[in-house]
Amino acid sequence: GLSSIPVYLDSWHPVRDKATGETEARCVLYVPSDGGGAEAEHITFPWSNDSIRGASAAELLRDRARSDAEAFRTGAGGAGDARSSSSSSSSSRRLFKSLRYASAFRLIEDRDSWDDGNDPDGSVPVDVPPRRGTLVAFDSVSVPHEVAEVKKGTRAALAGWFHEETQGFPDDFYG
């Protein structure tokens, strides 16, 4: 099954424009290869970040996963390259390549559930009591969290960040 696998964004996926022949960067989601030497599997068709239009990328992906899953189930919407934001048919094309990924796609941080006072699917809330000498270490990107107000006494905190290198522009992008 797809209990929980990491999904990555390639924001420099090269796509050749059919009209101009120019290579343009598009976004695509992918999952790591299965270790069998195959390249990573793209789980979406390429899309332009212009297609976000005022929403966040997370909102776009969440909403498209939901609508694509429904489209796969009902047979609506055509499969295809969702790269053209100016195309009137781009919204009727599926972004996700399969029902498997569209129906299993979940955001790491489901803000809507948190804002509604609910625990997102698969989450297990943990309260860490404020005890002297307690060290709490976690991945702040993949673990939604909050720090409660200090009601009595003072809090001393040491925060640090470890993160991957920012994705640079590929040297071989244009040829």
Side-chain angles (χ1 to χ4, degrees), residues 25-48:
R26 294 290 185 249
C27 300
V28 66
L29 292 182
Y30 67 94
V31 294
S33 70
D34 58 9
E39 289 189 26
E41 178 185 0
H42 292 143
I43 67 169
T44 63
F45 293 99
W47 81 89
S48 168

Side-chain angles (χ1 to χ4, degrees), residues 40 62 132:
R62 180 201 59 212
R132 180 176 292 192

Side-chain angles (χ1 to χ4, degrees), residues 8 30 53 64-65 67 69 74 95 100 112 114-115 120 125-126 134 154 164 174:
Y8 299 93
Y30 67 94
R53 295 187 185 155
R64 290 298 298 268
S67 64
T74 63
L95 177 64
R100 176 178 180 231
D112 291 340
W114 288 115
D115 291 346
V126 175
T134 301
T154 59
E164 64 191 357
Y174 289 109

Side-chain angles (χ1 to χ4, degrees), residues 8-17 22-31 39-49 80-84 95 97 167-175:
Y8 299 93
L9 170 69
D10 179 355
S11 59
W12 294 107
H13 182 73
V15 173
R16 186 164 309 279
D17 186 286
E22 296 288 322
T23 299
E24 300 177 347
R26 294 290 185 249
C27 300
V28 66
L29 292 182
Y30 67 94
V31 294
E39 289 189 26
E41 178 185 0
H42 292 143
I43 67 169
T44 63
F45 293 99
W47 81 89
S48 168
N49 61 10
D81 187 336
R83 64 186 167 164
S84 173
L95 177 64
K97 289 187 169 186
Q167 185 179 17
F169 189 84
D171 293 334
D172 61 348
F173 188 79
Y174 289 109

Side-chain angles (χ1 to χ4, degrees), residues 2 54 75 138:
L2 293 174
F138 59 93

